[in-house]
Every structure is written in C-alpha cells, then in structure tokens.
C-alpha cells in the first residue's frame, strides 16, 4: 500500500462548493444513475491508496453508465485536481458539474482548461502558448499545425524548436508541409527535430527522397551461388542530402559513410526493402558484406520502431528472442506476443524485464493460461528462494514486486485459487504472504466489480 491521499487536498474542498453541487439546476441535470453506496465507498478507498486497479474500475463504471453521487462531487474534484493520471476518468464520472465547478474555483482549473482558448495562443507567454499547443495537438492536431504555420515566421528560434518537438503528439501526414518548412530553418535544433519526426512518416516526400538514395546506394545483386545486397556509397553529399539531415561527421567512430547509410536506411520506408528483397524475413536472411551488415540491421531495427511496423517487429522477435530491443517488442501485435509466451519460448526470462515487456499492453484481463504459466515460474522462484534461508536477494518476493503487482492487476479472477494454492505449498514465508496477498487483492477486484452490477 502507498500512503493515503494528502489530507490538505481533501480539506481544500469548501463548504460553499458542496452547497453549489447540491443545487439541482436543469442545465446540469445528469440522467445517469448514481453509483451504489458500496461502490462509491469502494472508489474512495481505491483513490485513497492510488490503487493500480483503478483503470479497470473506471472502465466498468463507465460501461454501466454510472455517475458520481452528488455528495462526493466536491471531494472527487479536489482529487482530480491533484491526480493527472485519473483526472479524465474522474471528470467523466462527475459529469456536467465538473466543468461547472471548475469554472468557479481557480484551483480546479485543469479539468476546465480547454484547447479552444485561442486568446492564449495569440497573446500569451511562450510557456502558456506551448501548453495550449500541446493540448491542442492532443485533441485537434491539424488545427494546431495550421496555427503554427500561420505564426511560424514571427516565432523565435528556440520557441520554434519547442513547437516542432510538440508535433510528436498526434503526428500524421498532415504535418508534412510544416516539417518540410522546418528543414530550411536556420536553427540546427529545429532542423534536427523536423528530421526525427519526418522519419516517422513513411508516406512523405522526405521518405521518398531517402528511398531514392537507398536505391542508388544499395542494390540487390543476383549471383550464381547466392543473391546478395551490395552497398556502393558516394564520395560526397550534395546540398539536398544535407538538408535532409545527412551530415558530414563521424558517428561513434564507425565511419562517415556508415553513418550516411544508417541515416538513409533508417528513414527509407520499410516497404522499399520488401519490394527489393521480398519480405522482412528475406531481408534479414540475405547476404550482406560484413562491413555493412551491422549497419543495415541496426538501421532496419530503428526504422521498425520509427515506422511502428508490426511485420518487421514480429520478425525481429522471432529471430532475436530475449535479445530483441524492448522498444521493438512493444510493436509486435498482442496476440503474437501471447502466442510466443504460451509456446514456452519466453519461459527462461518471462519474469525478467525483457519478459515483462512481452505482456505490456496485452488485453485485460490476461488469459488464464498466461496466469498459470507465470504462477508456475513464480513457484519455482519461491522454492529456490526457500533454499537460501534469507529474506532478501534476487529470488525474494521483493525483487518480483512488479510481477506480483501485474498479477493483482491483470490476472483473471479465476487465477485467485491458483495463487492460494501456491501460498499453501511454498516453504518460503515471504513468498507465502506474497501469493496470499495477490490472491486476496484479485478477490478484492472481483468484489468491487460485482458491486457495480
């Protein structure tokens, strides 16, 4: 458990705020049924300890169409003001009174702050304008880009860099024109941000220019014994290449031409190599001269991440296993990651950081078969830890805190009996308590959701 919610935040709820909530004005009517008393009490308990099961609870409450009881609106708004993680969920549960109250109390401004306040963008300080721009990118990215287009020439260099970096939120093909404009900026920082974002747009003119360079520098050669990828780098760069972010300097002592190749292959659409070679699998299998092979594979890997290409990410996972970069694993479709785990290929490292990356983002709740596999691995760890006779160490429950928290949060309710059984059979007192606590918390989740019914 973590410390309870700071009392000063609850104390800040004034009596007049409660009185305002009690006024049932027609324009603030909310036809949704109020939360059952037991569920409302349960919600406040979960918020008090900042429970990691709150997303599941909020999703269930929203699905059933509940609203917060009037008596809790003021307290919930105070918590929403200090809790960015669950602010939107709380405001949605409160309903129309959320914005109404926030408009009357400045310290509750965050829920009421709208991205449509163009006066902030046109007349505010840079800090406020950047906050507005970031908020607008989250809700209406095309409109935000249009506003920046309009003011671009009047923005200071360091401000342009911050705005271009903020385009990462909601990035899409509609941002291409603005990013192309940024490539000609006199600020190196602005140009660098623009290049980074353009590399994530495989359908852009920038990607097409990089693909054209890649076709000139890298060719498929058909030999009698085996087809290979031949690399023929230029001796110098033209102005267009420099504009696109291919720079004349050595990178990590790997050679300037290796660096040029890395930049171009990273930015070229992965579909280029599929057309040239056949598929992601064929690309990783094709013969490449030793001097260039590492560069090509690293660049393909980075391109996979930037372009969020699931097919290439899946191929990398199948080939590299636990050596696959975590940023690549997150792109592999959830069902493929689950199949990979249930096949047993991830067993040796399922409880480690690399293995946990495999389960990040899997649909909630996790299937029982996954829970059984993880519980089996945890029981093995508990047995080995019992032999050490110590409370701490890499095999202790303390070293597996994140795994146990994930179990409490994502295991299906039917996994609780398996955890109780694990507690009964382990010889380690610490692990016995850990298994029992995880099972009890899963039962607690089940009770909380049943109350909503």
């Amino acid at each position: 458990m973590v410390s309870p919610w700071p009392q000063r935040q609850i104390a800040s709820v004034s009596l007049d705020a409660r009185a305002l909530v009690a006024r049932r004005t027609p324009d603030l009517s909310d036809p949704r049924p109020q939360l059952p008393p037991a569920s409302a009490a349960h919600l406040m308990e979960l918020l008090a300890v900042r429970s990691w099961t709150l997303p599941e609870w909020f999703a269930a409450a929203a699905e059933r169409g509940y609203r917060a009881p009037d008596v809790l609106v003021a307290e919930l708004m105070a918590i929403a003001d200090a809790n960015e993680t669950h602010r939107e969920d709380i405001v949605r549960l409160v309903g129309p009174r959320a914005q109404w109250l926030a408009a009357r109390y400045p310290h509750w401004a965050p829920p009421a702050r709208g991205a449509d306040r163009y006066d902030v963008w046109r007349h505010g300080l840079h800090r406020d304008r950047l906050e507005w721009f970031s908020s607008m990118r989250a809700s209406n990215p095309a409109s935000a880009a249009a506003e920046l287009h309009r003011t671009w020439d009047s923005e200071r260099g360091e401000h342009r860099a911050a705005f271009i970096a903020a385009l990462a939120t909601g990035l899409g093909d509609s941002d291409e024109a603005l990013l192309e404009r940024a490539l000609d900026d006199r600020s190196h920082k602005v140009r660098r941000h623009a290049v980074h974002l353009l590399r994530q747009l495989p359908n852009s003119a920038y990607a097409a220019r990089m693909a054209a360079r890649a076709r000139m520098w890298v060719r498929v050669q058909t030999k009698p014994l085996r087809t290979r990828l031949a690399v023929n780098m230029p001796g110098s760069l033209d102005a267009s290449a420099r504009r696109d972010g291919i720079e004349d300097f050595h990178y990590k002592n790997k050679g300037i031409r290796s660096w040029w190749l890395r930049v171009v292959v990273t930015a070229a659409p992965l579909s280029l190599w599929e057309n040239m070679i056949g598929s992601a699998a064929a690309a990783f299998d094709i013969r490449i001269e030793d001097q260039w092979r590492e560069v090509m594979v690293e660049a393909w890997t980075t391109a996979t991440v930037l372009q969020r290409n699931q097919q290439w990410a899946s191929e990398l996972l199948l080939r590299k296993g636990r050596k696959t970069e975590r940023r690549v694993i997150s792109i592999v479709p959830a069902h493929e990651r689950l199949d990979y785990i249930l096949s047993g290929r991830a067993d040796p490292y399922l409880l480690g950081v690399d293995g946990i990356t495999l389960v990040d983002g899997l649909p909630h709740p996790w299937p029982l078969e996954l829970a059984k596999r993880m519980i089996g691995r945890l029981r093995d760890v508990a047995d080995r830890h019992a032999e050490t006779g110590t409370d701490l160490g890499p095999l202790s429950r303390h070293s597996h805190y994140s795994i146990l928290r994930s179990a409490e949060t994502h295991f299906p309710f039917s996994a609780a009996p398996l955890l109780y059984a694990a507690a009964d059979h382990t010889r380690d007192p610490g692990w016995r308590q850990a298994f029992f606590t995880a099972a009890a918390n899963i039962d607690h989740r089940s009770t909380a959701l049943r109350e909503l019914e």
Side-chain angles (χ1 to χ4, degrees):
M1 292 289 190
V2 297
S3 60
W5 202 270
Q7 289 300 313
R8 61 181 177 79
Q9 294 165 351
I10 301 300
S12 70
V13 181
S14 59
L15 292 176
D16 60 325
R18 295 172 185 263
L20 280 172
V21 173
R23 297 176 188 171
R24 296 178 176 274
T25 54
D27 60 325
L28 292 179
S29 62
D30 190 337
R32 296 177 299 170
Q34 292 193 41
L35 282 170
S39 294
H42 211 133
L43 169 62
M44 300 309 288
E45 292 174 6
L46 294 175
L47 287 168
V49 297
R50 307 181 193 186
S51 171
W52 44 81
T53 66
L54 277 164
E56 179 182 49
W57 189 95
F58 278 121
E63 181 181 355
R64 291 162 175 78
Y66 283 118
R67 67 177 173 91
D70 293 341
V71 70
L72 292 181
V73 166
E75 285 88 345
L76 287 171
M77 286 292 289
I79 293 174
D81 179 49
N83 186 342
E84 185 174 354
T85 302
H86 300 296
R87 182 176 299 158
E88 291 187 8
D89 289 321
I90 294 174
V91 169
R92 188 180 301 112
L93 185 70
V94 170
R97 287 176 176 79
Q99 301 295 347
W100 184 67
L101 265 180
R104 288 157 176 76
Y105 291 91
H107 61 287
W108 287 339
R113 184 182 296 126
D116 57 347
R117 293 181 57 201
Y118 286 94
D119 57 313
V120 173
W121 171 251
R122 290 166 183 157
H123 308 294
L125 299 174
H126 171 65
R127 177 187 61 191
D128 298 325
R129 295 180 71 234
L130 181 59
E131 184 178 356
W132 177 92
F133 186 78
S134 299
S135 177
M136 181 62 86
R137 284 296 295 182
S139 60
N140 192 342
S143 180
E147 285 295 316
L148 184 56
H149 247 308
R150 184 178 62 82
T151 65
W152 182 259
D153 290 333
S154 62
E155 302 288 353
R156 296 172 56 179
E158 63 269 27
H159 295 173
R160 289 198 299 272
F163 288 130
I164 286 293
L167 289 179
T169 300
L171 181 67
D173 291 338
S174 61
D175 298 314
E176 181 182 353
L178 184 55
L179 292 171
E180 283 284 346
R181 189 175 181 181
L183 287 180
D184 296 315
D185 199 89
R186 59 182 177 273
S187 167
H188 180 265
K189 193 172 183 180
V190 171
R191 298 195 304 272
R192 189 174 72 245
H193 283 314
V195 166
H196 174 69
L197 295 177
L198 282 167
R199 292 190 305 172
Q200 301 175 50
L201 300 177
N203 299 319
S204 64
Y206 177 86
R209 295 195 298 271
M210 288 299 196
R213 294 185 182 101
R215 282 191 292 267
M216 288 190 296
W217 298 357
V218 184
R219 298 177 183 274
V220 176
Q221 289 185 345
T222 303
K223 296 289 185 180
L225 295 179
R226 188 178 183 185
T227 300
R228 70 167 188 162
L229 215 58
V231 177
N232 185 19
M233 297 298 296
S236 61
L237 298 174
D238 57 19
S240 174
R242 294 189 181 91
R243 178 181 181 271
D244 285 339
I246 310 173
E247 300 173 301
D248 280 327
F249 64 86
H250 291 260
Y251 182 74
K252 295 183 179 178
N253 299 319
K254 292 187 177 181
I256 190 168
R257 286 171 180 77
S258 293
W259 172 241
W260 294 350
L261 180 64
R262 187 186 307 270
V263 172
V264 166
V265 175
T266 296
L270 288 165
S271 58
L272 166 70
W273 310 106
E274 295 170 4
N275 294 333
M276 287 176 61
I277 306 170
S279 65
F284 289 116
D285 283 335
I286 197 170
R287 182 184 176 192
I288 307 174
E289 189 177 352
D290 290 344
Q291 176 186 356
W292 306 111
R293 180 163 188 80
E294 182 181 354
V295 176
M296 292 294 297
V297 172
E298 288 181 359
W300 282 334
T301 301
T302 303
T304 298
V305 175
L306 291 173
Q307 298 173 35
R308 300 199 63 78
N309 189 296
Q310 294 184 333
Q311 181 181 353
W312 285 68
S314 298
E315 187 63 34
L316 283 166
L317 175 61
L318 291 175
R319 289 171 178 271
K320 293 192 172 185
R322 69 179 306 171
K323 294 181 180 179
T324 308
E325 293 186 34
R326 289 196 289 275
R327 56 182 187 156
V328 172
I329 292 175
S330 65
I331 301 171
V332 178
H335 71 276
E336 292 187 20
R337 285 186 277 134
L338 182 59
D339 290 344
Y340 186 84
I341 294 171
L342 297 183
S343 70
R345 283 173 286 184
D347 278 359
Y349 59 97
L350 184 58
L351 303 184
V353 175
D354 298 333
I356 288 301
T357 306
L358 286 168
V359 299
D360 282 345
L362 290 184
H364 173 88
W366 294 344
L368 182 60
E369 285 305 310
L370 173 57
K372 288 179 178 179
R373 187 168 291 274
M374 295 187 76
I375 292 171
R377 299 298 298 174
L378 288 170
R379 289 184 62 170
D380 290 341
V381 171
D383 290 342
R384 285 187 287 147
H385 187 255
E387 297 173 358
T388 67
T390 64
D391 185 50
L392 302 177
L395 299 176
S396 70
R397 69 192 188 283
H398 305 291
S399 296
H400 292 77
Y401 170 78
S402 62
I403 301 286
L404 292 165
R405 188 177 75 171
S406 294
E408 294 175 5
T409 306
H410 296 295
F411 275 12
F413 302 141
S414 55
L418 302 179
L419 286 163
Y420 283 126
D424 289 340
H425 290 90
T426 184
R427 295 175 291 124
D428 185 271
W431 272 106
R432 184 180 305 116
Q433 182 60 48
F435 286 136
F436 182 85
T437 299
N441 284 335
I442 290 174
D443 283 340
H444 193 253
R445 277 174 47 214
S446 177
T447 299
L449 296 190
R450 281 201 307 272
E451 290 170 349
L452 287 171
E453 298 173 355

Short mmCIF file of all heavy atoms in Angstrom, two decimals, residues 318-353:
data_model
loop_
_atom_site.label_atom_id
_atom_site.label_comp_id
_atom_site.label_asym_id
_atom_site.label_seq_id
_atom_site.Cartn_x
_atom_site.Cartn_y
_atom_site.Cartn_z
N LEU A 318 11.02 -13.08 -33.44
CA LEU A 318 11.22 -14.49 -33.73
C LEU A 318 12.71 -14.82 -33.87
O LEU A 318 13.15 -15.91 -33.50
CB LEU A 318 10.48 -14.88 -35.01
CG LEU A 318 8.95 -14.89 -34.91
CD1 LEU A 318 8.34 -15.16 -36.28
CD2 LEU A 318 8.48 -15.93 -33.90
N ARG A 319 13.49 -13.88 -34.39
CA ARG A 319 14.90 -14.13 -34.63
C ARG A 319 15.78 -13.88 -33.41
O ARG A 319 16.74 -14.60 -33.18
CB ARG A 319 15.40 -13.26 -35.79
CG ARG A 319 14.87 -13.70 -37.13
CD ARG A 319 15.19 -12.72 -38.24
NE ARG A 319 14.69 -13.22 -39.51
CZ ARG A 319 15.40 -14.01 -40.33
NH1 ARG A 319 16.63 -14.34 -40.02
NH2 ARG A 319 14.86 -14.45 -41.45
N LYS A 320 15.46 -12.86 -32.64
CA LYS A 320 16.34 -12.45 -31.56
C LYS A 320 15.88 -12.88 -30.18
O LYS A 320 16.67 -12.87 -29.24
CB LYS A 320 16.52 -10.93 -31.59
CG LYS A 320 17.27 -10.43 -32.82
CD LYS A 320 17.66 -8.97 -32.65
CE LYS A 320 18.58 -8.50 -33.77
NZ LYS A 320 19.08 -7.12 -33.55
N GLY A 321 14.61 -13.22 -30.03
CA GLY A 321 14.13 -13.65 -28.72
C GLY A 321 14.37 -12.59 -27.66
O GLY A 321 14.03 -11.42 -27.83
N ARG A 322 14.98 -12.99 -26.56
CA ARG A 322 15.17 -12.07 -25.45
C ARG A 322 16.15 -10.95 -25.77
O ARG A 322 16.23 -9.97 -25.03
CB ARG A 322 15.65 -12.82 -24.21
CG ARG A 322 17.05 -13.38 -24.27
CD ARG A 322 17.41 -14.07 -22.98
NE ARG A 322 17.21 -13.21 -21.83
CZ ARG A 322 17.29 -13.62 -20.56
NH1 ARG A 322 17.53 -14.90 -20.31
NH2 ARG A 322 17.10 -12.79 -19.57
N LYS A 323 16.91 -11.08 -26.87
CA LYS A 323 17.82 -10.01 -27.27
C LYS A 323 17.11 -8.91 -28.07
O LYS A 323 17.73 -7.91 -28.43
CB LYS A 323 18.97 -10.58 -28.09
CG LYS A 323 19.89 -11.50 -27.29
CD LYS A 323 21.03 -12.01 -28.14
CE LYS A 323 21.95 -12.92 -27.34
NZ LYS A 323 23.07 -13.45 -28.17
N THR A 324 15.82 -9.12 -28.35
CA THR A 324 15.06 -8.12 -29.08
C THR A 324 14.94 -6.86 -28.24
O THR A 324 14.65 -6.93 -27.04
CB THR A 324 13.66 -8.64 -29.41
OG1 THR A 324 13.77 -9.91 -30.05
CG2 THR A 324 12.92 -7.67 -30.32
N GLU A 325 15.15 -5.72 -28.86
CA GLU A 325 15.01 -4.46 -28.13
C GLU A 325 13.59 -4.31 -27.62
O GLU A 325 12.62 -4.63 -28.30
CB GLU A 325 15.36 -3.28 -29.04
CG GLU A 325 16.82 -3.22 -29.45
CD GLU A 325 17.13 -1.94 -30.23
OE1 GLU A 325 16.52 -0.89 -29.93
OE2 GLU A 325 17.97 -2.00 -31.14
N ARG A 326 13.47 -3.79 -26.39
CA ARG A 326 12.15 -3.65 -25.78
C ARG A 326 11.25 -2.72 -26.58
O ARG A 326 10.03 -2.91 -26.63
CB ARG A 326 12.28 -3.18 -24.34
CG ARG A 326 12.86 -4.24 -23.42
CD ARG A 326 12.63 -3.91 -21.98
NE ARG A 326 13.44 -2.80 -21.52
CZ ARG A 326 14.69 -2.92 -21.10
NH1 ARG A 326 15.26 -4.11 -21.07
NH2 ARG A 326 15.36 -1.87 -20.67
N ARG A 327 11.85 -1.70 -27.21
CA ARG A 327 11.02 -0.78 -27.99
C ARG A 327 10.46 -1.48 -29.24
O ARG A 327 9.45 -1.05 -29.79
CB ARG A 327 11.83 0.45 -28.39
CG ARG A 327 13.10 0.13 -29.15
CD ARG A 327 13.90 1.36 -29.47
NE ARG A 327 15.04 1.04 -30.34
CZ ARG A 327 15.62 1.92 -31.15
NH1 ARG A 327 15.18 3.17 -31.19
NH2 ARG A 327 16.63 1.55 -31.91
N VAL A 328 11.11 -2.55 -29.68
CA VAL A 328 10.59 -3.35 -30.81
C VAL A 328 9.48 -4.28 -30.33
O VAL A 328 8.44 -4.42 -30.99
CB VAL A 328 11.72 -4.15 -31.48
CG1 VAL A 328 11.16 -5.12 -32.51
CG2 VAL A 328 12.74 -3.21 -32.13
N ILE A 329 9.69 -4.90 -29.18
CA ILE A 329 8.71 -5.87 -28.67
C ILE A 329 7.34 -5.23 -28.51
O ILE A 329 6.30 -5.84 -28.80
CB ILE A 329 9.19 -6.45 -27.33
CG1 ILE A 329 10.44 -7.32 -27.55
CG2 ILE A 329 8.10 -7.28 -26.67
CD1 ILE A 329 11.05 -7.85 -26.28
N SER A 330 7.31 -3.98 -28.05
CA SER A 330 6.03 -3.32 -27.81
C SER A 330 5.21 -3.15 -29.08
O SER A 330 3.99 -2.93 -29.02
CB SER A 330 6.26 -1.95 -27.15
OG SER A 330 6.95 -1.07 -28.03
N ILE A 331 5.85 -3.22 -30.25
CA ILE A 331 5.15 -3.04 -31.52
C ILE A 331 4.56 -4.35 -32.02
O ILE A 331 3.61 -4.36 -32.80
CB ILE A 331 6.13 -2.46 -32.57
CG1 ILE A 331 6.69 -1.13 -32.08
CG2 ILE A 331 5.46 -2.27 -33.93
CD1 ILE A 331 7.81 -0.59 -32.94
N VAL A 332 5.10 -5.48 -31.58
CA VAL A 332 4.59 -6.79 -32.01
C VAL A 332 3.13 -6.91 -31.58
O VAL A 332 2.78 -6.61 -30.43
CB VAL A 332 5.43 -7.92 -31.39
CG1 VAL A 332 4.87 -9.29 -31.79
CG2 VAL A 332 6.89 -7.79 -31.81
N PRO A 333 2.24 -7.35 -32.47
CA PRO A 333 0.82 -7.49 -32.10
C PRO A 333 0.65 -8.32 -30.84
O PRO A 333 1.39 -9.29 -30.61
CB PRO A 333 0.21 -8.18 -33.32
CG PRO A 333 1.08 -7.77 -34.46
CD PRO A 333 2.47 -7.69 -33.88
N ALA A 334 -0.31 -7.94 -30.02
CA ALA A 334 -0.51 -8.59 -28.72
C ALA A 334 -0.72 -10.10 -28.87
O ALA A 334 -0.17 -10.89 -28.09
CB ALA A 334 -1.69 -7.94 -28.01
N HIS A 335 -1.50 -10.53 -29.85
CA HIS A 335 -1.78 -11.96 -29.97
C HIS A 335 -0.52 -12.74 -30.34
O HIS A 335 -0.35 -13.89 -29.92
CB HIS A 335 -2.90 -12.21 -30.99
CG HIS A 335 -2.50 -11.97 -32.41
ND1 HIS A 335 -2.52 -10.71 -33.00
CD2 HIS A 335 -2.06 -12.83 -33.39
CE1 HIS A 335 -2.11 -10.81 -34.25
NE2 HIS A 335 -1.83 -12.06 -34.52
N GLU A 336 0.38 -12.11 -31.08
CA GLU A 336 1.63 -12.79 -31.42
C GLU A 336 2.55 -12.89 -30.21
O GLU A 336 3.24 -13.90 -30.00
CB GLU A 336 2.34 -12.07 -32.56
CG GLU A 336 1.60 -12.16 -33.89
CD GLU A 336 2.40 -11.57 -35.04
OE1 GLU A 336 3.63 -11.45 -34.90
OE2 GLU A 336 1.78 -11.22 -36.07
N ARG A 337 2.58 -11.84 -29.39
CA ARG A 337 3.38 -11.90 -28.16
C ARG A 337 2.83 -12.96 -27.22
O ARG A 337 3.60 -13.69 -26.58
CB ARG A 337 3.40 -10.53 -27.48
CG ARG A 337 4.30 -9.53 -28.18
CD ARG A 337 4.40 -8.24 -27.40
NE ARG A 337 3.28 -7.36 -27.67
CZ ARG A 337 2.59 -6.72 -26.76
NH1 ARG A 337 2.83 -6.91 -25.48
NH2 ARG A 337 1.60 -5.91 -27.11
N LEU A 338 1.51 -13.05 -27.14
CA LEU A 338 0.90 -14.05 -26.27
C LEU A 338 1.22 -15.45 -26.77
O LEU A 338 1.57 -16.35 -25.98
CB LEU A 338 -0.61 -13.83 -26.21
CG LEU A 338 -1.38 -14.77 -25.30
CD1 LEU A 338 -0.89 -14.68 -23.87
CD2 LEU A 338 -2.89 -14.45 -25.37
N ASP A 339 1.11 -15.68 -28.08
CA ASP A 339 1.47 -16.98 -28.64
C ASP A 339 2.93 -17.32 -28.35
O ASP A 339 3.27 -18.47 -28.06
CB ASP A 339 1.22 -17.00 -30.15
CG ASP A 339 -0.26 -16.98 -30.49
OD1 ASP A 339 -1.08 -17.26 -29.60
OD2 ASP A 339 -0.59 -16.69 -31.66
N TYR A 340 3.79 -16.31 -28.44
CA TYR A 340 5.21 -16.51 -28.19
C TYR A 340 5.43 -16.98 -26.76
O TYR A 340 6.23 -17.90 -26.49
CB TYR A 340 5.95 -15.20 -28.45
CG TYR A 340 7.45 -15.29 -28.38
CD1 TYR A 340 8.20 -15.71 -29.47
CD2 TYR A 340 8.13 -14.95 -27.21
CE1 TYR A 340 9.58 -15.79 -29.41
CE2 TYR A 340 9.51 -15.03 -27.14
CZ TYR A 340 10.23 -15.44 -28.24
OH TYR A 340 11.60 -15.52 -28.16
N ILE A 341 4.72 -16.37 -25.82
CA ILE A 341 4.87 -16.76 -24.41
C ILE A 341 4.33 -18.16 -24.17
O ILE A 341 4.99 -19.02 -23.56
CB ILE A 341 4.13 -15.76 -23.50
CG1 ILE A 341 4.78 -14.39 -23.57
CG2 ILE A 341 4.11 -16.25 -22.06
CD1 ILE A 341 3.98 -13.30 -22.88
N LEU A 342 3.11 -18.42 -24.67
CA LEU A 342 2.46 -19.70 -24.40
C LEU A 342 3.17 -20.86 -25.10
O LEU A 342 3.00 -22.02 -24.71
CB LEU A 342 0.99 -19.65 -24.81
CG LEU A 342 0.13 -18.63 -24.05
CD1 LEU A 342 -1.32 -18.71 -24.50
CD2 LEU A 342 0.25 -18.85 -22.55
N SER A 343 3.97 -20.55 -26.11
CA SER A 343 4.74 -21.61 -26.77
C SER A 343 5.91 -22.09 -25.91
O SER A 343 6.53 -23.11 -26.23
CB SER A 343 5.28 -21.10 -28.11
OG SER A 343 6.30 -20.13 -27.90
N GLY A 344 6.22 -21.34 -24.85
CA GLY A 344 7.32 -21.71 -23.97
C GLY A 344 8.64 -21.07 -24.31
O GLY A 344 9.60 -21.19 -23.55
N ARG A 345 8.69 -20.33 -25.42
CA ARG A 345 9.97 -19.74 -25.82
C ARG A 345 10.43 -18.63 -24.89
O ARG A 345 11.61 -18.30 -24.85
CB ARG A 345 9.86 -19.21 -27.26
CG ARG A 345 9.93 -20.31 -28.32
CD ARG A 345 9.65 -19.77 -29.71
NE ARG A 345 8.22 -19.48 -29.90
CZ ARG A 345 7.70 -19.08 -31.04
NH1 ARG A 345 8.48 -18.89 -32.09
NH2 ARG A 345 6.41 -18.85 -31.15
N ALA A 346 9.50 -18.05 -24.12
CA ALA A 346 9.88 -16.96 -23.22
C ALA A 346 10.08 -17.42 -21.78
O ALA A 346 10.40 -16.61 -20.91
CB ALA A 346 8.82 -15.86 -23.26
N ASP A 347 9.91 -18.71 -21.52
CA ASP A 347 9.98 -19.21 -20.14
C ASP A 347 11.25 -18.80 -19.39
O ASP A 347 11.18 -18.40 -18.24
CB ASP A 347 9.83 -20.73 -20.11
CG ASP A 347 8.37 -21.15 -20.18
OD1 ASP A 347 7.50 -20.25 -20.23
OD2 ASP A 347 8.09 -22.37 -20.19
N PRO A 348 12.42 -18.92 -20.00
CA PRO A 348 13.64 -18.63 -19.23
C PRO A 348 13.74 -17.18 -18.75
O PRO A 348 14.48 -16.90 -17.80
CB PRO A 348 14.77 -18.95 -20.22
CG PRO A 348 14.17 -19.87 -21.22
CD PRO A 348 12.75 -19.42 -21.34
N TYR A 349 13.03 -16.28 -19.38
CA TYR A 349 13.17 -14.87 -18.99
C TYR A 349 11.82 -14.18 -18.78
O TYR A 349 11.73 -12.96 -18.74
CB TYR A 349 13.98 -14.09 -20.03
CG TYR A 349 13.43 -14.08 -21.44
CD1 TYR A 349 12.68 -13.02 -21.90
CD2 TYR A 349 13.69 -15.14 -22.32
CE1 TYR A 349 12.19 -13.00 -23.20
CE2 TYR A 349 13.20 -15.12 -23.62
CZ TYR A 349 12.46 -14.05 -24.05
OH TYR A 349 11.97 -14.04 -25.35
N LEU A 350 10.76 -14.96 -18.61
CA LEU A 350 9.42 -14.39 -18.52
C LEU A 350 9.27 -13.44 -17.34
O LEU A 350 8.53 -12.45 -17.42
CB LEU A 350 8.39 -15.52 -18.40
CG LEU A 350 6.92 -15.11 -18.38
CD1 LEU A 350 6.56 -14.32 -19.63
CD2 LEU A 350 6.02 -16.33 -18.26
N LEU A 351 9.96 -13.70 -16.24
CA LEU A 351 9.83 -12.86 -15.05
C LEU A 351 10.79 -11.69 -15.03
O LEU A 351 10.76 -10.88 -14.11
CB LEU A 351 10.02 -13.71 -13.79
CG LEU A 351 9.09 -14.90 -13.63
CD1 LEU A 351 9.31 -15.57 -12.29
CD2 LEU A 351 7.63 -14.49 -13.78
N GLY A 352 11.66 -11.60 -16.03
CA GLY A 352 12.61 -10.50 -16.09
C GLY A 352 12.04 -9.30 -16.82
O GLY A 352 10.91 -9.31 -17.32
N VAL A 353 12.86 -8.25 -16.93
CA VAL A 353 12.42 -7.02 -17.59
C VAL A 353 12.04 -7.30 -19.04
O VAL A 353 11.02 -6.81 -19.53
CB VAL A 353 13.52 -5.95 -17.51
CG1 VAL A 353 13.11 -4.72 -18.31
CG2 VAL A 353 13.80 -5.58 -16.07
#
